[in-house]
Amino acid sequence: MKLKYILCVVALIATSKSSFAQYAKDAIRYSTFGTGSTSRIKGIGNAGTAVGGDLSSVSGNPAGLGFFTMSEVSLTPEFDGSKSNSIYLNQPGAASKNNLNLSNAAIVFYSRLNTPSGQDKTKGWLSLNFGMGYNRTNNFDERISYGAKNSNSSINDYYASLANSSGVDAGTLQGWAYGQNLIDQYGSTTTPTYKSNAYPGVNQLNSITRSGGQSEFDLSLGANYSNKLYLGFGIGITQLRYNSANSFNEIGTASVLEGSSTTGVDRNFNSTFTQSQDTKGEGFNAKFGFIYKLLENVRLGATVTTPTYITIDDSYSEGLASSFNNGSNYVDGPADYPLTYKMRTPLKASGGLSVFFGKYGFISGDVEYIDYSTTRISSNDNYLADYDNGIIKSNYHAAVNAHVGAEIKLIGSVALRGGYGIQGSPLKTNGTQTKTATAGLGYRFGSYYVDAAYVHVTGSQTITPYDVGTLTPTASVNGTNNNVFVTVGYRY
């Protein structure tokens, strides 16, 4: 009974409007990870499926490893700068967060296959190259802040609705609210109704801080057949860490019963509902890919990434604290609710085409297909996943992601790059696309190279702090990420 209650609370408090249940929301969050890549591929909008010959192939299309004729190693740190602008009840808000991460580290070992004496050394299986690498595939870091005076509803109305539907048992959120004089019984003693004690016109402030990310350690093989067909296979070992801290504060005036009085006394109150989530997970997937040269300067590529199977340890906690100007102070919680469960992300299929213009550069384009409705969570002795899986099936659908980019080689060893990408929304309705614009610069000197990329990401979300029917408030949040990546590499 308590678990079912937790699902409802987390779904409605301080989460995206696209999220209808705790684990359904998280399942989609952890299914939207991208492909790790070097600054070169990021600079062309991550359109690298058919490019080959870049260390991004370790985590992307492993067939691209077949293009290597030397061993190579590289390292890519990143700077992430996120900013969110919100509108809540016509009042603007803003928050930002910056952090440093390791985006990519990879190495490939070139291995020439022996060609029997007397045979054409450009025909048959020419090389089998092994690569391994680390990639950051998802970034959860962000801060969101919004607030305004709300004359239409109070979060106490939400506590009251829970009390009317489920009672005020000890240890429940509505039980805490009742004990803290935020809600009370009104009406007859035979058919009482719980209502908020707050007068209309409360000041509300919601602060959300999210951190963590997903990463993947990849082991990949790429083979070259006659400099025409390239095949690859890879295994990815994934890790995720997601932390969220939410504080919803409300200040106003409430009518409170004191002592034996049957008439309420007006008291100023300050109440804060806090939530935190700490999630860790580990899993694995596999990748299969090919690149085929339709012409010497035209490459066609495709990759299939199997579903990722993840075991997740999730810990959710909540608490409620209130104070009144009569000196009364209340604190309940935090109460912790841990759960371990398994989930399966969708299969991802990618196709790409690259056209090279000799030593002058190339253009490349990719399309990815992901059916988010196939995400599944497994039930266990402590959790029945049918409700969340039903939410996923009915509210999410297949999405298409598109990437396009180009590299132009200037005189000398300098290259300019640019790209653009669109990530489709997993939501069936009211979803928004995430758009990415990129730019890059590369320089080669002997066996060394340095690449830099700038990635500008924009997206939006609608957050519902609590649900009270037609009077439910919403915050519109527009997010912007300005990220810089620098890759340093060596060929040997």
Side-chain angles (χ1 to χ4, degrees):
M1 181 176 179
K2 183 62 181 177
L3 178 59
K4 182 178 179 181
Y5 161 72
I6 288 301
L7 293 177
C8 295
V9 171
V10 182
L12 298 174
I13 304 294
T15 60
S16 167
K17 196 174 183 179
S18 66
S19 307
F20 304 93
Q22 163 72 0
Y23 303 111
K25 166 180 68 82
D26 287 342
I28 298 302
R29 185 197 313 277
Y30 306 145
S31 297
T32 56
F33 58 88
T35 300
S37 59
T38 63
S39 297
R40 183 191 184 204
I41 299 302
K42 289 187 184 297
I44 61 170
N46 253 9
T49 298
V51 174
D54 186 273
L55 283 171
S56 298
S57 301
V58 175
S59 59
N61 185 350
L65 295 177
F67 284 84
F68 282 86
T69 58
M70 299 177 66
S71 297
E72 187 172 322
V73 62
S74 73
L75 185 70
T76 307
E78 65 174 299
F79 168 80
D80 298 323
S82 68
K83 183 177 182 180
S84 64
N85 293 301
S86 59
I87 297 293
Y88 182 66
L89 302 175
N90 298 318
Q91 293 297 312
S96 61
K97 187 177 184 181
N98 302 321
N99 60 291
L100 294 171
N101 289 299
L102 176 62
S103 176
N104 176 279
I107 188 170
V108 61
F109 300 97
Y110 169 69
S111 178
R112 169 77 186 188
L113 297 178
N114 293 326
T115 304
S117 178
Q119 290 190 9
D120 189 343
K121 295 187 180 296
T122 63
K123 301 296 183 182
W125 294 106
L126 304 180
S127 63
L128 180 63
N129 302 327
F130 170 72
M132 59 183 180
Y134 164 87
N135 293 278
R136 186 174 175 87
T137 58
N138 209 343
N139 184 22
F140 302 133
D141 290 299
E142 67 175 337
R143 283 198 180 101
I144 298 172
S145 179
Y146 60 85
K149 184 175 182 179
N150 190 339
S151 300
N152 299 316
S153 69
S154 162
I155 193 171
N156 296 344
D157 296 320
Y158 173 68
Y159 303 149
S161 69
L162 290 177
N164 287 321
S165 62
S166 304
V168 289
D169 293 342
T172 63
L173 176 59
Q174 64 269 29
W176 293 344
Y178 180 68
Q180 296 182 19
N181 292 319
L182 299 176
I183 63 175
D184 226 321
Q185 286 184 332
Y186 293 85
S188 66
T189 56
T190 55
T191 57
T193 299
Y194 291 95
K195 294 182 180 180
S196 166
N197 286 337
Y199 289 105
V202 292
N203 292 307
Q204 299 175 330
L205 177 64
N206 197 15
S207 299
I208 305 170
T209 300
R210 297 167 180 161
S211 62
Q214 285 175 265
S215 61
E216 188 170 280
F217 179 74
D218 296 282
L219 300 172
S220 301
L221 289 172
N224 176 354
Y225 184 81
S226 300
N227 293 320
K228 187 76 172 180
L229 174 65
Y230 303 82
L231 301 177
F233 169 75
I235 295 175
I237 302 171
T238 67
Q239 288 188 328
L240 72 86
R241 180 67 183 265
Y242 175 70
N243 302 96
S244 177
N246 177 82
S247 174
F248 189 92
N249 176 255
E250 187 170 278
I251 299 175
T253 303
S255 177
V256 181
L257 294 176
E258 296 182 352
S260 60
S261 173
T262 58
T263 303
V265 178
D266 290 351
R267 295 295 186 185
N268 296 330
F269 74 92
N270 187 324
S271 179
T272 302
F273 176 50
T274 58
Q275 297 171 293
S276 67
Q277 181 181 347
D278 185 0
T279 304
K280 300 177 182 178
E282 295 182 344
F284 66 93
N285 60 36
K287 301 179 182 69
F288 305 86
F290 79 88
I291 297 177
Y292 181 75
K293 289 185 177 179
L294 298 174
L295 300 171
E296 186 58 31
N297 64 330
V298 180
R299 301 174 185 177
L300 176 68
T303 311
V304 174
T305 303
T306 68
T308 302
Y309 298 87
I310 310 176
T311 299
I312 295 176
D313 294 314
D314 186 272
S315 178
Y316 167 79
S317 66
E318 62 183 6
L320 183 64
S322 302
S323 62
F324 292 81
N325 66 343
N326 64 354
S328 298
N329 295 287
Y330 306 92
V331 177
D332 287 295
D336 300 318
Y337 309 103
L339 180 68
T340 297
Y341 62 97
K342 298 180 184 294
M343 65 167 286
R344 184 194 73 206
T345 71
L347 176 146
K348 180 171 70 173
S350 306
L353 183 70
S354 298
V355 180
F356 287 76
F357 302 99
K359 61 182 180 180
Y360 299 106
F362 63 88
I363 59 174
S364 184
D366 285 0
V367 175
E368 298 173 344
Y369 176 85
I370 307 173
D371 188 353
Y372 292 100
S373 68
T374 63
T375 304
R376 286 293 177 271
I377 307 172
S378 299
S379 299
N380 56 45
D381 293 340
N382 300 310
Y383 165 60
L384 182 63
D386 293 354
Y387 175 72
D388 288 278
N389 285 330
I391 292 296
I392 293 171
K393 188 71 175 178
S394 60
N395 292 285
Y396 298 94
H397 68 162
V400 175
N401 306 328
H403 312 267
V404 63
E407 177 182 273
I408 300 174
K409 294 184 179 179
L410 305 179
I411 297 175
S413 301
V414 178
L416 294 179
R417 305 177 183 112
Y420 188 77
I422 296 176
Q423 180 174 314
S425 171
L427 278 173
K428 285 184 178 180
T429 59
N430 299 322
T432 58
Q433 296 177 330
T434 299
K435 300 177 181 180
T436 304
T438 65
L441 180 67
Y443 179 66
R444 299 291 189 268
F445 48 102
S447 298
Y448 298 89
Y449 60 88
V450 177
D451 294 313
Y454 167 74
V455 178
H456 177 76
V457 184
T458 58
S460 63
Q461 59 180 307
T462 300
I463 295 179
T464 300
Y466 54 87
D467 187 1
V468 287
T470 57
L471 298 180
T472 298
T474 59
S476 299
V477 182
N478 294 316
T480 301
N481 284 74
N482 293 294
N483 304 331
V484 176
F485 304 83
V486 178
T487 298
V488 178
Y490 172 67
R491 294 172 177 169
Y492 60 98

